């Protein structure tokens, strides 16, 4: 049972399902970030395909900058507003809605002017008081036409609340539960003067509220105003224009379904709001107020139109941020809502869309949770992209073709998070497996190679590539004698060699080398593969110098430890003393060569090694063998010496024809780093050595002996370990004097030892 659970369910899926349930609960709560993402997606839809602008009998009577310039500053006397109403009605406007509040008496009315100026002459004041009040003139104009007055909400606080006035009843009927708990609520509003309200055919709210990001995406079609159910300005304008029949609010347990207005059902969100489907702002909707007052309009411009009166003048403009990404005058938003209702083009977001989005989220995430852990990464990504893209395409199609707003953002986001969760867990699991591989195989091959193979398993195939490498071979001189002294304690020999090989390995890997293999006490390594290394020859030389230095420290540490043991056992009885093993110095011989090799996986299809093949490999191995003959710890081939000669202290040793090769190789001893190379005494020694070798190859034995003696003095002064090299040439000179070389002698030494 436990194995079945681990294989087919697993803790990853359990955690993912728990996360899915939490995600669905978050969506139901609908916090601001989720709503903002959804709204931003709908905005993109809106911007990608705004509503087509089609001629409809809706116009905006605009108090624009030109009107202010010609008529005078705002607010105008109410008798001028009355002229606007009369002129519009005369031109055939069906109904007029005001996106303007007339909350205070007109201060430009003659009686009001007389009241506001007590120092005015009595006869003049009497004449003004006798004139008709402008507000009365406006009320009479309202009574002669179908006028809908706008009302708006107001922010109030304790001590500054507006006195409530009785509102004219808005005739309506309800089908279903009381909608007020779901509606947008306005507890305090600003109304027009009572005489104006009484003369108007209707009253509508033009207040709306933006989303948290400040964008006006929804407009309340029906709302709760001081506890009464009222229509918005656009809806009330349409109701009055179509006969003034009562409106009907249809509700269910989830909230408002829609409003029946002008004998058609207008679907709404559960809070009674609608989503306007906007076009870009268009001047074709606007009529300048000054043109209407000065009889400059064509006779049929307002015929049969529903007219909204608003302002767009600088200082009076009332612009709102819209989903289209550009601001728009508030009155034009109401006009577009009216157009949407008349053309049945409102965006639709039914209450059931939330259930569809939750169900889709659950299905998509469950598909990912169930199948993703067992699928290849490529298949999982491709399948997930198909699912998410398909759902996004359906969402956009519904908007484009049906004007239905189905949120693609949350289901896609939740699916992407599920994919990320599963992928993260898979990645952590694979990372753990990689660490296990590195831990297991890193003991045998280079960690760099393990890393590369774990990242790209395609390299675990037979084959190789041609690359220039620097190769290093090292061996312990006299290892046979050392092993013989440990014949009674082979474990101690194993510990010793492990410590020794660790020193060599650390130096190689510290300088980014790849350890090819261990062969008893010998090590083969190379640089510039599998990872490229621009100065691979320099790195190999630095590693070799570090190996020699640290082996020397290791030798001293072993001698000191042996002395401490002897001192500690002096007081012990002779029969309890442990037998002593001679402490041999571990002397390392190193050969380094550079050249073009084939590097890669070599072997059979079932077992292979990452190694290098080629003539430079054989030469490097032979050079390591020559270190015993010449007494130099590190010997470089000619190609390596050419690469590093400007940064290391080198001295030419000989031209050698190693075993198995016909072409001679000029070899060099690596003695130190650049500080030794720049020493004037060393430069003098290398010059003397070059002259000695030249005399030797020219068979000038006397001069060669003289220069050899001079070179010995320079070497002793620098304390360089070249005694074996100098003794070698001393013996050669004696032998060549005794038995001269043949006439075709080229000065090349033919080595007979590997």
């Amino acid at each position: 049972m436990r194995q079945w659970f681990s294989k087919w369910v697993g803790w990853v899926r359990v955690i993912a399902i728990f996360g899915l349930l939490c995600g669905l609960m978050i969506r139901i709560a609908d916090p601001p970030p989720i709503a903002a993402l959804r709204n931003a997606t709908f905005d993109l839809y809106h911007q990608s395909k705004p509503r087509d602008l089609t001629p409809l009998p809706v116009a905006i009577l605009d108090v624009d900058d030109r009107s202010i310039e010609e008529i005078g500053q705002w607010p105008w006397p109410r008798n001028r507003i009355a002229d606007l109403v009369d002129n519009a009605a005369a031109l055939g406007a069906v109904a007029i809605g005001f996106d303007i509040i007339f909350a205070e008496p007109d201060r430009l009315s003659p009686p009001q002017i007389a009241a506001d100026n007590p120092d005015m002459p009595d006869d003049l004041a009497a004449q003004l008081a006798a004139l008709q009040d402008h507000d009365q003139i406006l009320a009479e104009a309202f009574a002669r036409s179908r006028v809908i007055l706008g009302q708006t909400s107001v922010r109030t606080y304790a001590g500054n609340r507006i006195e409530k006035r009785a509102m004219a009843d808005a005739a309506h009927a309800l089908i279903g539960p009381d909608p007020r708990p779901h509606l947008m609520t306005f507890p305090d509003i600003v109304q027009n003067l009572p005489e104006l309200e009484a003369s108007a055919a209707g009253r509508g709210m033009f207040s709306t509220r933006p989303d948290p990001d400040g964008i006006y995406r929804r407009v309340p079609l029906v709302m709760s105003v001081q506890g009464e159910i009222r229509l918005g300005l656009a809806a009330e304008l349409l109701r009055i224009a179509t006969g003034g029949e009562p409106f009907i609010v249809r509700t269910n347990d989830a909230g408002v379904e829609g409003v029946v207005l002008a004998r058609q059902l207008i679907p709404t969100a559960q809070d009674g709001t609608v989503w306007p489907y906007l076009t870009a702002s268009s001047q074709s909707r606007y009529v300048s107020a000054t043109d209407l007052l000065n009889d400059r309009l064509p006779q049929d411009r307002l015929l049969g139109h529903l007219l909204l009166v608003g302002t767009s003048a600088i200082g009076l403009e009332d612009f709102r941020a819209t989903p289209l990404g550009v601001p728009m005058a508030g009155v034009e938003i109401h006009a577009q809502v009216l157009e949407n209702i008349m053309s049945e083009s409102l965006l639709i977001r039914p209450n059931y869309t939330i259930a569809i989005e939750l169900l889709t989220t659950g299905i998509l995430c469950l598909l990912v949770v169930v199948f993703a852990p067992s699928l290849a990464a490529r298949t999982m990504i491709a399948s997930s992209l198909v699912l998410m893209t398909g759902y996004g395409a359906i969402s956009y199609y519904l908007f484009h073709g049906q004007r239905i707003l189905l949120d693609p953002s949350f289901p896609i986001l939740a699916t992407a998070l599920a994919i990320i969760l599963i992928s993260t867990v898979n990645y952590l699991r694979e990372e753990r497996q990689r660490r296990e591989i590195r831990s297991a195989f890193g003991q045998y091959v280079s960690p760099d190679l393990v890393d590369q193979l774990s990242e790209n398993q395609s390299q675990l195939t037979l084959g190789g590539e041609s690359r220039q490498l620097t190769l290093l071979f090292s061996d312990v001189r006299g290892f046979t004698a050392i092993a013989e002294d440990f014949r009674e304690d082979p474990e101690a020999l194993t510990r010793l060699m492990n410590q020794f090989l660790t020193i060599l390995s650390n130096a190689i890997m510290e300088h980014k080398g790849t350890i090819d293999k261990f062969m008893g006490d010998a090590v083969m390594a190379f640089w510039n593969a599998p990872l490229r290394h621009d100065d691979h020859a320099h790195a190999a030389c630095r590693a070799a110098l570090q190996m020699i230095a640290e082996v020397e420290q290791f030798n001293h540490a072993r001698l000191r430890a042996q002395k401490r043991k002897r001192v500690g056992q002096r007081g012990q009885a002779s029969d309890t003393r442990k037998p002593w093993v001679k402490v041999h110095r571990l002397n390392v011989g190193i050969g380094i060569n550079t050249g073009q090799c084939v590097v890669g996986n070599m072997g059979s299809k079932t077992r292979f090694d990452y190694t290098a093949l080629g003539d430079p490999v054989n030469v490097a191995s032979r050079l390591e063998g020559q270190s015993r003959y010449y007494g130099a710890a590190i010997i470089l081939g000619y190609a390596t010496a050419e690469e590093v000669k400007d940064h290391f202290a080198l001295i030419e040793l000989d031209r050698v024809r190693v075993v198995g090769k016909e072409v001679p190789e000029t070899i060099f001893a690596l003695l130190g780093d650049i500080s030794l190379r720049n020493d004037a005494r060393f430069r003098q020694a290398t010059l003397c050595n070059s002259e000695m070798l030249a005399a030797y190859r020219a068979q000038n034995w006397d001069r060669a002996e003289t220069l050899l003696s001079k070179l010995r003095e320079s070497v002793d002064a620098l304390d360089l370990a070249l005694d074996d090299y100098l003794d070698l040439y001393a013996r050669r000179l004696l032998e060549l004097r005794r038995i001269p070389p043949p006439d075709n002698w080229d000065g090349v030494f033919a080595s007979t030892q590997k």
Side-chain angles (χ1 to χ4, degrees):
M1 180 68 178
R2 188 172 182 179
Q3 291 180 348
W4 177 89
F5 178 85
S6 177
K7 181 176 180 181
W8 295 107
V9 181
W11 296 113
V12 177
R13 290 186 172 93
V14 171
I15 294 172
I17 292 173
F18 177 75
L20 170 60
L21 295 176
C22 292
L24 294 177
M25 293 174 64
I26 290 173
R27 173 60 188 89
I28 293 171
D30 202 24
I34 299 298
L37 181 61
R38 178 174 64 252
N39 289 334
T41 305
F42 292 155
D43 290 350
L44 288 175
Y45 284 0
H46 215 142
Q47 294 164 23
S48 68
K49 189 181 184 299
R51 179 170 61 90
D52 295 331
L53 180 60
T54 55
L56 288 168
V58 176
I60 299 170
L61 185 58
D62 186 19
V63 181
D64 55 8
D65 289 308
R66 189 158 59 90
S67 299
I68 298 291
E69 182 179 355
E70 294 185 6
I71 307 300
Q73 72 178 41
W74 185 266
W76 293 339
R78 299 279 166 82
N79 60 338
R80 302 297 283 169
I81 304 297
D83 292 340
L84 280 176
V85 173
D86 288 338
N87 290 357
L91 291 178
V94 176
I96 304 169
F98 277 88
D99 189 23
I100 298 171
I101 291 287
F102 304 105
E104 298 86 16
D106 184 6
R107 296 181 63 187
L108 300 178
S109 182
Q112 189 66 40
I113 293 175
D116 291 342
N117 294 274
D119 296 333
M120 182 181 297
D122 292 341
D123 57 342
L124 180 58
Q127 293 177 22
L128 290 175
L131 295 175
Q132 189 176 11
D133 184 82
H134 287 178
D135 289 321
Q136 184 60 40
I137 294 173
L138 183 58
E140 293 174 358
F142 285 173
R144 291 191 294 269
S145 305
R146 291 176 177 173
V147 172
I148 296 86
L149 286 178
Q151 298 174 338
T152 187
S153 64
V154 63
R155 297 187 182 92
T156 60
Y157 50 89
N160 188 38
R161 301 194 68 87
I162 292 177
E163 181 181 355
K164 293 185 179 180
R165 299 204 316 259
M167 296 187 303
D169 182 41
H172 66 277
L174 300 178
I175 299 177
D178 186 358
R180 275 173 285 229
H182 306 281
L183 297 177
M184 192 177 290
T185 301
F186 297 97
D188 295 295
I189 66 167
V190 177
Q191 300 186 58
N192 298 274
L193 293 173
E195 60 267 32
L196 299 180
E197 295 264 355
S199 300
R203 287 144 295 276
M205 290 287 292
F206 57 76
S207 291
T208 186
R209 291 171 184 163
D211 288 323
D213 57 2
I215 297 177
Y216 289 78
R217 297 183 179 87
R218 294 179 294 167
V219 174
L221 193 70
V222 62
M223 64 207 78
S224 174
V225 181
Q226 294 183 349
E228 297 293 333
I229 298 174
R230 301 292 297 274
L231 290 177
L233 178 61
E236 180 70 0
L237 178 60
L238 180 63
R239 185 182 75 85
I240 296 300
T242 55
E245 294 182 0
F247 63 92
I248 301 172
V249 181
R250 290 180 55 175
T251 60
N252 55 31
D253 292 336
V256 180
E257 289 183 5
V259 175
V260 179
L261 185 64
R263 299 182 181 180
Q264 64 170 317
L265 174 64
I266 305 169
T268 67
Q270 62 185 15
D271 60 354
T273 59
V274 293
W275 294 72
Y277 190 12
L278 302 177
T279 69
S281 180
S282 173
Q283 286 301 312
S284 64
R285 294 189 178 96
Y286 287 85
V287 172
S288 177
T290 186
D291 290 340
L292 179 60
L293 288 172
N294 292 293
D295 297 325
R296 291 197 290 257
L297 288 180
Q299 290 298 311
D300 61 347
R301 177 63 183 89
L302 300 181
L303 182 63
H305 279 60
L306 304 182
L307 192 62
L308 284 161
V309 183
T311 64
S312 67
I314 299 298
L316 303 179
E317 58 189 5
D318 183 23
F319 281 85
R320 299 287 185 262
T322 68
L324 295 180
V326 292
M328 184 179 295
V331 66
E332 187 170 8
I333 294 177
H334 290 294
Q336 295 217 40
V337 171
L338 195 53
E339 292 175 352
N340 287 157
I341 295 173
M342 296 171 66
S343 61
E344 299 183 358
S345 59
L346 284 165
L347 296 177
I348 305 169
R349 183 161 169 79
N351 296 338
Y352 60 78
T353 54
I354 297 177
I356 293 176
E357 291 160 7
L358 292 173
L359 180 62
T360 303
T361 301
I363 292 174
L364 291 178
C365 291
L366 283 175
L367 288 174
V368 171
V369 169
V370 171
F371 293 105
S374 58
L375 294 176
R378 185 180 303 174
T379 304
M380 180 189 72
I381 293 173
S383 302
S384 301
L385 287 176
V386 169
L387 290 174
M388 292 188 291
T389 304
Y391 177 71
I394 291 172
S395 171
Y396 186 73
Y397 167 75
L398 290 175
F399 169 82
H400 188 280
Q402 307 296 325
R403 305 186 318 282
I404 295 176
L405 294 173
L406 181 66
D407 177 27
S409 61
F410 185 79
I412 290 176
L413 175 63
T415 305
L417 290 176
I419 293 170
I420 292 173
L421 173 63
I422 298 295
S423 300
T424 300
V425 173
N426 286 344
Y427 174 80
L428 293 175
R429 182 169 56 196
E430 292 177 5
E431 186 65 20
R432 184 189 65 193
Q433 293 173 349
R434 288 195 185 102
R435 286 197 300 269
E436 292 173 355
I437 292 173
R438 291 189 186 100
S439 176
F441 292 99
Q443 307 297 323
Y444 304 100
V445 297
S446 164
D448 289 334
L449 177 58
V450 175
D451 289 340
Q452 192 175 81
L453 292 178
S454 65
E455 295 294 335
N456 185 5
Q457 296 185 6
S458 64
Q459 295 188 15
L460 287 170
T461 57
L462 292 177
E465 62 174 315
S466 178
R467 190 180 293 187
Q468 188 179 55
L469 304 180
T470 295
L471 303 112
L472 180 148
F473 280 81
S474 73
D475 198 4
V476 177
R477 298 177 189 168
F479 180 73
T480 302
I482 296 173
E484 186 177 359
D485 283 347
F486 282 90
R487 60 182 179 273
E488 301 296 332
D489 192 1
E491 287 97 355
L493 177 62
T494 301
R495 289 194 299 271
L496 173 63
M497 294 313 299
N498 286 341
Q499 293 172 341
F500 167 74
L501 293 174
T502 298
I503 292 172
L504 302 190
S505 301
N506 289 342
I508 292 169
M509 289 189 287
E510 183 176 329
H511 293 279
K512 307 301 181 184
T514 298
I515 298 175
D516 185 301
K517 58 178 68 74
F518 295 104
M519 300 162 287
D521 60 315
V523 178
M524 174 186 171
F526 50 80
W527 278 258
N528 203 34
L531 303 180
R532 293 193 178 275
H533 199 308
D534 292 338
D535 61 341
H536 48 89
H538 297 77
C541 291
R542 288 192 293 270
L545 290 172
Q546 180 176 330
M547 291 161 67
I548 296 299
E550 293 187 355
V551 167
E552 187 63 22
Q553 294 174 8
F554 180 61
N555 286 330
H556 288 309
R558 291 175 59 235
L559 287 171
R560 288 194 299 270
Q562 185 77 307
K563 288 179 181 179
R564 286 196 297 271
K565 288 182 180 179
R566 287 180 177 176
V567 171
Q569 289 190 2
R570 281 177 183 173
Q572 296 181 8
S574 59
D575 58 346
T576 63
R577 294 179 183 176
K578 294 181 180 179
W580 292 101
V581 176
K582 180 180 178 181
V583 177
H584 289 272
R585 280 182 55 84
L586 296 177
N587 296 315
V588 183
I590 298 174
I592 301 176
N593 190 38
T594 300
Q596 201 73 18
C597 303
V598 175
V599 61
N601 296 316
M602 312 292 178
S604 68
K605 291 184 178 180
T606 57
R607 182 176 179 83
F608 49 81
D609 291 324
Y610 187 84
T611 188
L613 298 177
D615 182 65
V617 180
N618 299 328
V619 172
S621 175
R622 299 294 186 265
L623 294 181
E624 180 277 317
Q626 296 303 310
S627 65
R628 291 188 292 271
Y629 181 70
Y630 288 92
I634 307 171
I635 294 183
L636 309 182
Y638 178 77
T640 306
E642 283 295 301
E643 289 283 338
V644 305
K645 63 183 179 181
D646 294 331
H647 298 87
F648 293 91
L650 308 181
I651 190 167
E652 184 180 348
L653 297 177
D654 204 352
R655 285 207 297 265
V656 181
R657 188 175 290 109
V658 297
V659 176
K661 284 183 63 67
E662 294 297 325
V663 179
E665 179 82 17
T666 303
I667 62 175
F668 298 80
L670 173 61
L671 301 176
D673 57 16
I674 195 168
S675 60
L676 178 60
R677 178 188 179 280
N678 292 336
D679 191 318
R681 295 175 300 168
F682 180 76
R683 289 200 297 269
Q684 185 62 35
T686 56
L687 179 60
C688 182
N689 180 70
S690 297
E691 293 176 350
M692 185 275 291
L693 290 176
Y696 166 78
R697 291 161 185 160
Q699 302 185 36
N700 190 343
W701 315 129
D702 293 337
R703 177 168 172 75
E705 285 182 346
T706 301
L707 291 170
L708 188 62
S709 299
K710 184 178 179 181
L711 177 60
R712 192 181 294 274
E713 294 175 0
S714 298
V715 167
D716 291 342
L718 289 168
D719 195 24
L720 299 176
L722 289 175
D723 290 343
D724 290 349
Y725 165 68
L726 299 174
D727 292 343
L728 171 65
Y729 272 92
R731 291 194 301 272
R732 282 188 184 179
L733 290 172
L734 288 175
E735 184 67 18
L736 290 170
R737 282 182 181 277
R738 189 175 67 83
I739 305 175
D743 293 340
N744 62 349
W745 185 68
D746 56 5
V748 175
F749 174 71
S751 174
T752 59
Q753 300 179 351
K754 295 185 177 181

